[in-house]
Amino acid sequence: MPFSRAIIVNPPSPPGYMSNKDSMGGFGQLYPAGSPPFPPLDIPYLAASITARGHAVDVVEAGALRLDTATTLARVAAVAGGTEALVLVRTSLPTIDWDLGVCAEIRAALPAATVTLFGPAVPSLLARVRQDASIQLAILTEADGP
């Protein structure tokens, strides 16, 4: 699959919460809104891995920046520029339904993009992920692995 660029997205936290997708062994945990942000550490690892393979990569960190969904979509669309981008969305156990909603909005806004879900919880949530038409690919291992 040829992609013009990769865009890694940490979606906004669900309303009323701050998500920590790295806690609980990477399965994630929700805290009350206003709690300190917890950007997932696997995002910079994944970005470095993609860059090392010679591909352009951008990161949209909506969680730590407390972006809403509309702003997140606008940033992803601006980076994608209508191209065939690979959009990699980080999810976790407590945010899966919210994140899948964000994925659906990305897919609707960027029909040329390939929406991919990743995170340690994805293999455990595979039955749920397969039910969602907005997800075209799911990474079932460490996203930055060989």
Side-chain angles (χ1 to χ4, degrees), residues 27-128:
F27 278 76
Q29 192 170 6
L30 292 175
Y31 293 92
S35 297
F38 304 96
L41 293 177
D42 55 358
I43 289 178
Y45 294 136
L46 177 56
S49 178
I50 293 169
T51 301
R53 288 174 171 83
H55 303 287
V57 64
D58 290 278
V59 175
V60 176
E61 174 48 72
L65 295 176
R66 293 173 166 52
L67 303 179
D68 61 19
T69 303
T71 304
T72 302
L73 291 173
R75 289 192 182 188
V76 172
V79 172
T83 64
E84 294 179 351
L86 175 64
V87 180
L88 301 123
V89 179
R90 177 61 156 87
T91 193
S92 66
L93 187 62
T95 63
I96 185 67
D97 291 323
W98 173 259
D99 295 339
L100 287 172
V102 173
C103 289
E105 292 190 47
I106 291 171
R107 182 108 162 96
L110 303 169
T114 299
V115 180
T116 304
L117 204 62
F118 77 98
V122 171
S124 299
L125 298 167
L126 195 53
R128 171 66 182 95

